[in-house]
Amino acid sequence: MAAGGSWSRYQQRIKSWMSAATENTSLFLHTLSCFYVFSRYGLFVSKVTGPSMLPTFGGQGDFVIAEAVTPMWGQLKPGDVVICTRPVDPAESIIKRVVAVEGEEVVLYPDRESSEVRRLTVPPGHVWIQGDNLTQSLDSRQYGPVPKALVRGRVVFQVFPKPGWVDNSMEVVRRW
Amino acid sequence: MGGFLRQLVYWLPAGIALTDTVVSVLLVDGQSMWPTLNEDPYFADLVLVEKISYKWNHKYQRGDVAVLWAPDQPHQQLVKRIIALEHDIVWDSDRGKPTKIPQGQCWLEGDNPEASGDSRNMYGPVHLGLLEGRVTHVIWPPWRISSVRRWYPADRLIVEDSGGARALKDHEGI
């Protein structure tokens, strides 16, 4: 009789452990999924490395906040700083500024790529992106217009080192 | 009723995360992949799309049937087969000349050339970052249930990147 009692108590302990484990796992998965949905469709943090966006970003470890709403459901406009999947390497991300949108004409002056003036119109569904630091940036001037579906977010706020809203206007481009 | 709705809302983010990152289903529209997909003119195929190969491993293989975002319409999905990868030289049948695929891009064609807008006639090389997932199986209608195999036409590839010029041979079911 005593042996039967302790077995059933053991069974009960296992059952309550298992239901707690299931509940904790499901809570964990739910939380993880919420983080995913929030960062993929809402706001996410990104680190900027490299000199291609000087002087806007130092490239030594700036942290920025980007929103995914505009690229997905709104309209990107010239001047927007964006985070994209890198066209030459889908495993990496880049941060550049949109200089022209679909339908607009881009004029490429002679540089190390070619010795003549080239004009092209940005095709439908694409954007033309350039780093603010023109001399040290690999961008649309080298790899052409970028499909909008590669744009993951529009940078809105810089957290570190100088907190402040990011200037998503063509002022920087006009100063070139 | 309220309990069911609450359960649904609770699991919605997990459902979104799962379909975005692991596996999802897609109802295939159009005849561009006939007869591999939508062989039956009266019933659209429902296919299983796995996201792990492309989104986690970034492993793209020639012959994959891929789901991708259209380069000219960011909200439109296409289903095409990967014929060539970056650095390959592919025979562009529409222009009648070889084309080298730039780094980070690929060449896609529908299995039904007459009904397919793809790299030959519309997009040229397509960025690998646009590829969303790989079609692995047809799961509906019941008489179409099968796995979708990796295959590509040997006559299209002139040079494969790995190891320089190579004699053309038929690649089937790899």
Side-chain angles (χ1 to χ4, degrees):
Chain A
M1 203 60 214
S6 64
W7 172 251
S8 78
R9 264 199 308 278
Y10 172 74
Q11 276 187 308
Q12 266 191 323
R13 294 239 310 265
I14 298 287
K15 268 198 213 138
S16 69
W17 178 88
M18 278 191 65
S19 87
T22 315
E23 216 175 288
N24 286 335
T25 311
S26 110
L27 187 69
F28 174 70
L29 289 174
H30 168 79
T31 312
L32 213 67
S33 310
C34 287
F35 269 110
Y36 168 79
V37 171
F38 186 71
S39 69
R40 170 85 169 72
Y41 296 97
L43 296 173
F44 62 96
V45 180
S46 188
K47 183 175 174 187
V48 182
T49 55
S52 70
M53 283 298 288
L54 280 165
T56 310
F57 300 118
Q60 304 265 295
D62 296 38
F63 280 91
V64 297
I65 296 178
E67 53 94 352
V69 177
T70 308
M72 206 172 293
W73 294 297
Q75 292 281 33
L76 290 169
K77 48 176 217 311
D80 282 345
V81 178
V82 292
I83 291 175
C84 311
T85 306
R86 197 164 167 230
V88 300
D89 182 0
E92 304 282 320
S93 287
I94 52 169
I95 177 166
K96 305 282 176 198
R97 193 181 295 267
V98 174
V99 171
V101 292
E102 66 186 46
E104 292 186 337
E105 194 187 53
V106 173
V107 181
L108 292 165
Y109 292 100
D111 56 13
R112 24 156 218 257
E113 302 285 314
S114 103
S115 59
E116 51 185 44
V117 178
R118 291 173 292 158
R119 286 172 193 277
L120 57 91
T121 310
V122 180
H126 289 69
V127 287
W128 186 272
I129 58 175
Q130 290 178 193
D132 286 351
N133 186 0
L134 287 175
T135 51
Q136 285 192 290
S137 170
L138 191 69
D139 50 46
S140 286
R141 294 169 298 158
Q142 285 78 36
Y143 47 66
V146 171
K148 283 206 277 197
L150 290 184
V151 179
R152 297 193 294 113
R154 187 178 73 105
V155 178
V156 289
F157 194 80
Q158 183 175 8
V159 184
F160 184 85
K162 277 187 319 186
W165 297 98
V166 169
D167 184 13
N168 277 324
S169 74
M170 284 297 277
E171 251 327 292
V172 177
V173 182
R174 267 191 275 273
R175 276 188 240 122
W176 285 335
Chain B
M1 193 59 212
F4 171 72
L5 210 61
R6 206 176 305 151
Q7 283 283 305
L8 194 72
V9 170
Y10 181 83
W11 287 110
L12 195 65
I16 295 174
L18 192 78
T19 54
D20 271 8
T21 59
V22 181
V23 66
S24 76
V25 293
L26 177 76
L27 194 67
V28 179
D29 183 33
Q31 295 294 303
S32 70
M33 284 298 292
W34 187 95
T36 310
L37 299 178
N38 282 1
E39 188 196 14
D40 190 328
Y42 298 107
F43 293 90
D45 285 351
L46 190 70
V47 296
L48 202 68
V49 183
E50 63 92 353
K51 317 265 174 142
I52 310 239
S53 303
Y54 297 166
K55 294 204 165 173
W56 297 76
N57 301 330
H58 297 292
K59 183 165 185 230
Y60 311 90
Q61 291 184 265
R62 300 176 195 87
D64 279 355
V65 175
V67 176
L68 62 138
W69 298 103
D72 60 347
Q73 290 190 74
H75 298 285
Q76 171 81 21
Q77 278 190 328
L78 309 169
V79 185
K80 306 289 171 200
R81 196 180 290 273
I82 300 179
I83 304 295
L85 294 170
E86 54 188 5
H87 312 308
D88 287 352
I89 300 178
V90 72
W91 179 255
D92 183 339
S93 53
D94 267 36
R95 272 169 210 82
K97 63 178 187 90
T99 306
K100 185 159 181 158
I101 310 299
Q103 188 180 352
Q105 298 185 346
C106 64
W107 187 267
L108 303 158
E109 291 183 16
D111 285 355
N112 186 5
E114 283 130 48
S116 174
D118 49 41
S119 291
R120 295 166 304 138
N121 51 25
M122 276 187 83
Y123 308 118
V126 171
H127 288 97
L128 287 169
L130 292 174
L131 301 194
E132 176 77 7
R134 189 175 69 94
V135 176
T136 54
H137 296 83
V138 178
I139 58 172
W140 195 264
W143 56 92
R144 290 273 303 146
I145 292 179
S146 58
S147 67
V148 174
R149 305 176 83 203
R150 200 171 283 132
W151 169 90
Y152 63 95
D155 60 336
R156 220 64 56 78
L157 217 61
I158 300 174
V159 174
E160 272 184 39
D161 168 51
S162 41
R166 186 203 287 190
L168 302 174
K169 45 180 169 314
D170 272 287
H171 293 261
E172 189 158 346
I174 29 162

